[in-house]
Amino acid sequence: MQTADIQRRWLEFFGTRGHTVVPSASLVSDDPTLLFTVAGMVPFVPYLTGVVPAPYPRATSVQKCIRTNDIDEVGKTPRHGTFFQMNGNFSFGDYFKEGAISYAWELLTASQSDGGLGFQEKDLWVTVYKDDDEAIALWKKIAGLPDDRIQRLDMDTNYWSTGQPGPAGPCSEIFFDRGPAYGVDGGPATDDDRYVEIWNLVFMQYLRGEGTGKNDFEILGELPNKNIDTGMGMERVAFLLQGVENMYEIDQVRPVLDAAAELSGRRYGADHDDDVRMRVIADHVRSGLMLMTDGVAPGNEGRGYILRRLLRRSIRAMRLLGVDAPTFEVLFAASRDAMSAAYPEITENYDRVSRLALGEEEAFLRTLAAGTTILDLAVSDAKSTGSAALPGDTVFQLHDTFGFPLDLTLEMAEEAGLTVDRGEFDRLMAEQRARAKADAKSKKGALADLSVYGEFRAAGETVFLGYDELETETRVLGLLVGGQSVPVAQAGDIAEVILAETTLYAESGGQDSDEGAIVGSGFDLEVLDVQKPVKGLISHTVQVRAGEVHVGDVARTQVDTQYRRAATQAHSATHVIHAALRQTLGGDAHQSGSYNKAGYMRLDFSWNQALSPATRSEIEEISNIAVRDNLPVETRVMALDEAKALGAMALFGEKYGDTVRVVDIGGPWSRELCAGTHVGTSAEIGVISLVSESSVGSTNRRVEALVGLDAFREFAAERALVQQLTSSLKTPKDQLADRIAELSAQLKAAEKTIAQFEAARLTERVPALVAAARPTGAYTVVAQNVGTLGSADDVRTLATTVRGRLGDSAAVVVLAAETAGKATVIIATTPAAREAGAKAGELARAASAILGGGGGGKDDLAQGGGPDAQRIPAALEAVLAALRG
């Protein structure tokens, strides 16, 4: 049974049983505490926890997921995958345990001809929470399972919670027995790979209290509404129904594995290590394809870093298979062909995804070349010092800074006959993980804070009236101070205000929040920020400037008119520049992110090379022609499918509901899905000044622009600067560039002449310094204060020249000077002096200690100094004393 058929059967089964079929959410999670959608239930968390009222009593989905916690296990076990699909059915206060168990057993065991999955009942086991007698009784009643195929397990494996106070409950898991050829008898309790978990039923029925870990919290009581959250692993079911050994061999993954085998000339199944590498490649390429289809681009932090790591691990694995040449063109095409039946959007976005993948591969192959050079130097240094191991900090730097995989370092070190100091490397990695874990824990804590909005969201969505009005009368529904719900906020407090209606725009879609005020009888609130903490709810962060505000008070929202006008200009300018980019560069230049606020906008777009000055000017001119032409700006609300049919562009990574807002500028010239505020016609934007263009990764560029009055002010400042230069240089404006170039050339020539004079002057001083050499201890020493010189380089040149004139003697040259108001000491030694024991670095440190600074260097040449130039004589005497000793 093909994976796409399993998906179809799942959705049809639950759809015909009263479940709303919900399309998969993006892999980029709405939850601010998560980088990715890590489980099928993530999009439903607000409904399951009661923060947001569920829009339907029961639902089903096939959710795309990414997990990277077990990335090192990928390829080694039959079931660990980075990207996977979780089939889920959910009940929000509707059916409970009996319904969930009945649906699961029916779908699993019904024949394939009847729309089921056709599992044999004799191969299925279940586990339950040890005290859940109700679930055990239901399994016996519904499935007729005997006692020996129902196993009671502890809270750490069969009890679910978010890890925070809130909903919790027992769960029941369904396992498939692969048979004695795959492991020991004894059921899922053996924790053996023979028993594959395929479905988990979570019975969300209790409220848990504070606590840490999986089993040390208190159960406070039952929830008023009991929910069901289940998840069936698509890939696990697919490999069992397709009769293959693991998830990497199913129809959606195997083609990439086969392509890797063909490219490497190795046969899958012939060598264990090679098999693991091919499975890693198959998994990671598919994961990368799905992430990039959902708008993630390779980068150095957050989601981009995870994607980059997956891609680089794939390249590393291909190298370990003996392939150094680029392979992504073949591998990603294989994954596209395997996944498009289930996800047609892959084909629609493949040109962009392919360009990202190929660009990342090219960049990392260069990184590998650079890392190899650094590694070669480290190997050489280790061998020269007689060390048998590469330093752990060097290996960590290669891994952390250059993205050089540890496995590759180990392999290359072994080829050179060396090991790696894993103790130091592991210590540094542990410190890094501890920092990451602390950061993740702090973010996870924010999840619990969202529950405070539940009672406000239950009252309904906040109505946004700001598209048409800048002021409105409303009512205060709630107040939060310090994250806690309070009845009143007083002068000086920083508080969050929940209103029934608002005209203040909440930050979203790249547009910053409005500035303004909330006023009422006896209170005046300055708006500091406006956000959407949970779907459908708008929260205003304010400072109480005067009076007291109470829950229930009548209030009036007031948007800062000037700020809103400039913000709408900037947002509309973002759309205009995006259209100009695509008109100039082509359809591949697709927006990948944006930010705009009053007077300023930036836009990130997919492109892998810098824009020429001519191209930048063309984009700027097209944008301002659109402003001049006073194009109509029209906003319409319509169904998402209708908007896509019209060609409306969506921003990658943004989430859209069934109904969307479409913004047209000049009709189809610029047509995008957007919930931001916009001007009435393009002429209202004013002026667009493209001020910068830069790289934000190997496959993304960024343009920044000033808009409206801010752009005019920039032009005015530049005009004033040009006028000042024309006046100072007595040169007409149209000749200014040539005049500045002429002056620059003259200045360089003068600097060169001065440098020649300075060098000649220094050379003239050499004979006198050589003549000043005096025997000191076992050495011939020149120790002189040479006065004030231009730089430390001048002192160094003088010292090394004098050393050269002293021939084969055991000579030490110590020259001190004042440079840039500080003392500089340069010490140079001849080979004979070094053989006699003189070390320039030690002598430089002795002089620097007197001068109040620091110094050091090699035995032949060293530099020191300090802030106290008055102590140069004492510093010279300290060096002489050291030489006498």
Side-chain angles (χ1 to χ4, degrees):
M1 185 182 295
Q2 298 293 288
T3 308
D5 189 26
I6 299 172
Q7 175 178 335
R8 179 187 59 78
R9 287 169 182 261
W10 176 276
L11 295 177
E12 286 182 356
F13 178 87
F14 284 102
T16 57
R17 288 159 176 78
H19 293 69
T20 299
V21 176
V22 180
S24 173
S26 170
L27 287 168
V28 179
S29 174
D30 277 334
D31 188 332
T33 68
L34 297 173
L35 286 177
F36 300 115
T37 301
V38 296
M41 55 91 72
V42 168
F44 300 97
V45 166
Y47 311 144
L48 292 169
T49 57
V51 173
V52 177
Y56 26 65
R58 51 176 73 179
T60 186
S61 69
V62 175
Q63 175 61 47
K64 301 175 293 186
C65 304
I66 286 280
R67 284 186 198 167
T68 57
N69 293 345
D70 299 322
I71 192 170
D72 291 329
E73 296 301 312
V74 170
K76 299 176 183 177
T77 74
R79 64 185 188 277
H80 280 102
T82 311
F83 171 84
F84 60 96
Q85 299 155 91
M86 187 61 72
N87 301 0
N89 60 287
F90 306 89
S91 165
F92 311 105
D94 191 7
Y95 63 83
F96 196 49
K97 288 184 186 179
E98 184 168 4
I101 291 172
S102 296
Y103 286 141
W105 193 252
E106 181 183 357
L107 178 57
L108 284 174
T109 60
S111 68
Q112 294 184 10
S113 60
D114 290 333
L117 297 178
F119 282 98
Q120 297 297 309
E121 296 183 10
K122 65 180 180 59
D123 296 326
L124 300 177
W125 293 62
V126 298
T127 63
V128 297
Y129 175 54
K130 62 181 182 181
D131 294 334
D132 194 356
D133 295 333
E134 180 186 4
I136 291 175
L138 287 170
W139 277 116
K140 291 180 178 181
K141 169 188 170 184
I142 295 165
L145 285 174
D147 287 337
D148 60 357
R149 295 227 312 277
I150 304 174
Q151 295 186 321
R152 297 176 185 257
L153 297 180
D154 289 333
M155 183 175 277
D156 58 345
T157 56
N158 276 62
Y159 208 93
W160 176 88
S161 78
T162 63
Q164 304 287 336
C171 57
S172 181
E173 297 173 331
I174 307 172
F175 289 79
F176 177 83
D177 179 5
R178 303 180 75 192
Y182 291 92
V184 300
D185 196 7
T190 61
D191 196 26
D192 191 89
D193 281 343
R194 168 177 169 173
Y195 301 92
V196 179
E197 179 198 338
I198 56 176
W199 203 334
N200 185 18
L201 315 178
V202 176
F203 310 129
M204 208 175 294
Q205 64 186 110
Y206 297 113
L207 181 67
R208 63 154 281 184
E210 295 284 352
T212 58
K214 293 187 175 182
N215 52 14
D216 61 349
F217 48 82
E218 181 183 2
I219 298 299
L220 303 179
E222 291 203 349
L223 293 171
N225 289 318
K226 298 181 174 125
N227 300 326
I228 287 294
D229 154 31
T230 89
M232 185 183 82
M234 176 86 84
E235 283 75 11
R236 298 185 183 190
V237 170
F239 89 71
L240 294 173
L241 291 180
Q242 292 175 19
V244 294
E245 292 298 309
N246 52 63
M247 64 164 287
Y248 315 102
E249 298 176 12
I250 66 173
D251 60 299
Q252 288 186 341
V253 188
R254 180 64 187 252
V256 184
L257 188 154
D258 290 339
E262 184 175 352
L263 287 167
S264 65
R266 314 243 179 137
R267 183 174 64 84
Y268 181 66
D271 178 86
H272 172 74
D273 289 341
D274 283 352
D275 288 353
V276 170
R277 290 161 186 156
M278 292 180 200
R279 292 195 287 262
V280 166
I281 293 163
D283 172 87
H284 288 5
V285 165
R286 183 171 79 137
S287 301
L289 173 73
M290 300 307 295
L291 282 169
M292 288 187 283
T293 297
D294 274 8
V296 181
N300 290 325
E301 58 184 26
R303 300 180 182 96
Y305 176 76
I306 298 296
L307 171 59
R308 173 163 286 167
R309 185 181 178 203
L310 293 172
L311 298 179
R312 290 184 170 186
R313 279 173 60 91
S314 303
I315 297 168
R316 182 276 316 273
M318 285 303 302
R319 188 188 186 282
L320 294 177
L321 289 173
V323 181
D324 295 325
T327 61
F328 275 2
E329 184 173 4
V330 173
L331 296 175
F332 270 83
S335 190
R336 172 201 61 199
D337 295 344
M339 295 297 296
S340 293
Y343 301 99
E345 64 268 23
I346 293 173
T347 302
E348 299 170 12
N349 294 293
Y350 188 70
D351 287 345
R352 175 184 59 84
V353 170
S354 176
R355 188 175 60 254
L356 285 172
L358 297 182
E360 184 67 15
E361 181 179 38
E362 180 184 354
F364 186 52
L365 288 174
R366 291 196 301 268
T367 295
L368 283 177
T372 300
T373 301
I374 294 169
L375 187 57
D376 288 344
L377 290 173
V379 169
S380 178
D381 288 345
K383 288 187 173 181
S384 67
T385 59
S387 174
L390 291 177
D393 57 350
T394 300
V395 177
F396 179 76
Q397 181 194 24
L398 280 166
H399 176 274
D400 193 53
T401 304
F402 294 93
F404 209 71
L406 174 61
D407 289 353
L408 189 54
T409 303
L410 291 170
E411 177 200 9
M412 297 179 70
E414 184 179 358
E415 290 172 356
L418 298 174
T419 60
V420 168
D421 182 356
R422 286 298 300 270
E424 175 69 2
F425 174 83
D426 290 343
R427 183 186 68 79
L428 293 168
M429 284 297 294
E431 290 178 357
Q432 185 188 63
R433 289 192 191 100
R435 290 191 295 270
K437 186 178 290 186
D439 181 56
K441 185 176 181 181
S442 67
K443 291 179 179 178
K444 188 173 183 180
L447 180 65
D449 297 338
L450 295 179
S451 62
V452 75
Y453 299 105
E455 62 177 288
F456 308 127
R457 181 61 183 81
E461 296 190 17
T462 308
V463 179
F464 177 65
L465 304 173
Y467 292 130
D468 303 310
E469 305 290 339
L470 295 182
E471 292 192 18
T472 193
E473 187 172 282
T474 183
R475 185 170 297 279
V476 178
L477 299 181
L479 293 167
L480 302 172
V481 175
Q484 302 296 317
S485 182
V486 296
V488 60
Q490 302 174 336
D493 284 348
I494 302 293
E496 288 184 67
V497 181
I498 311 298
L499 303 172
E501 301 89 13
T502 185
T503 55
L504 290 149
Y505 184 81
E507 180 181 356
S508 60
Q511 181 175 335
D512 209 344
S513 60
D514 272 335
E515 293 182 358
I518 301 172
V519 298
S521 177
F523 62 86
D524 180 1
L525 316 177
E526 178 187 3
V527 176
L528 306 177
D529 192 16
V530 189
Q531 295 291 331
K532 298 177 180 177
V534 297
K535 184 178 180 180
L537 189 74
I538 296 176
S539 171
H540 310 74
T541 300
V542 303
Q543 180 165 31
V544 183
R545 288 188 287 208
E548 292 184 350
V549 57
H550 297 76
V551 173
D553 281 351
V554 174
R556 174 166 288 274
T557 62
Q558 299 175 336
V559 177
D560 184 315
T561 306
Q562 298 301 322
Y563 185 91
R564 169 66 77 83
R565 179 182 294 115
T568 59
Q569 288 176 313
H571 200 150
S572 296
T574 306
H575 287 225
V576 167
I577 286 185
H578 187 204
L581 276 166
R582 293 174 62 80
Q583 181 175 324
T584 306
L585 303 177
D588 287 346
H590 201 295
Q591 179 177 342
S592 57
S594 68
Y595 171 73
N596 50 79
K597 62 179 181 178
Y600 167 84
M601 59 127 298
R602 71 168 184 250
L603 183 145
D604 296 344
F605 61 100
S606 51
W607 202 248
N608 60 3
Q609 58 186 349
L611 303 184
S612 68
T615 301
R616 287 178 55 178
S617 294
E618 183 180 359
I619 292 166
E620 188 175 50
E621 182 173 350
I622 291 172
S623 299
N624 282 289
I625 287 173
V627 172
R628 179 205 65 187
D629 289 348
N630 198 25
L631 302 175
V633 178
E634 181 184 5
T635 60
R636 293 173 287 168
V637 176
M638 62 182 69
L640 177 60
D641 290 342
E642 181 184 356
K644 288 182 176 179
L646 287 173
M649 297 188 64
L651 177 62
F652 288 114
E654 282 294 304
K655 313 299 185 303
Y656 301 100
D658 294 333
T659 302
V660 294
R661 190 166 176 263
V662 179
V663 178
D664 289 351
I665 301 178
W669 184 73
S670 169
R671 177 168 289 159
E672 300 189 28
L673 304 183
C674 181
T677 62
H678 288 276
V679 297
T681 67
S682 63
E684 294 177 22
I685 295 173
V687 179
I688 299 174
S689 174
L690 197 60
V691 295
S692 76
E693 187 268 342
S694 59
S695 170
V696 285
S698 59
T699 55
N700 278 279
R701 307 293 296 179
R702 169 175 292 172
V703 290
E704 296 178 272
L706 297 176
V707 182
L709 192 57
D710 287 74
F712 168 77
R713 287 169 179 155
E714 185 212 24
F715 288 139
E718 290 183 352
R719 180 179 60 193
L721 178 60
V722 170
Q723 289 174 342
Q724 183 181 353
L725 289 172
T726 57
S727 175
S728 299
L729 300 178
K730 296 180 173 55
T731 303
K733 182 170 61 175
D734 58 348
Q735 299 175 19
L736 197 58
D738 291 338
R739 178 59 176 152
I740 291 174
E742 178 186 346
L743 290 173
S744 179
Q746 291 175 1
L747 178 60
K748 288 180 181 178
E751 289 174 343
K752 184 176 180 180
T753 301
I754 292 169
Q756 291 171 344
F757 279 121
E758 290 290 341
R761 187 171 65 84
L762 289 175
T763 302
E764 290 172 357
R765 300 185 65 174
V766 171
L769 290 169
V770 172
R774 297 288 183 271
T776 303
Y779 310 98
T780 298
V781 179
V782 177
Q784 294 286 316
N785 182 350
V786 294
T788 301
L789 294 181
S791 68
D793 289 340
D794 291 339
V795 188
R796 187 179 300 105
T797 299
L798 199 54
T800 55
T801 304
V802 171
R803 179 180 62 181
R805 297 286 183 89
L806 293 174
D808 297 331
S809 63
V812 179
V813 180
V814 186
L815 299 185
E818 182 176 339
T819 60
K822 297 181 180 180
T824 297
V825 176
I826 301 292
I827 299 175
T829 63
T830 63
R834 293 193 292 276
E835 290 178 8
K839 296 182 178 180
E842 293 180 1
L843 296 173
R845 283 189 286 272
S848 301
I850 302 297
L851 297 169
K858 297 182 178 180
D859 290 348
D860 63 330
L861 185 66
Q863 178 177 332
D868 193 352
Q870 299 296 320
R871 296 186 61 79
I872 284 178
L876 293 174
E877 183 55 42
V879 174
L880 291 171
L883 290 171
R884 293 189 195 102

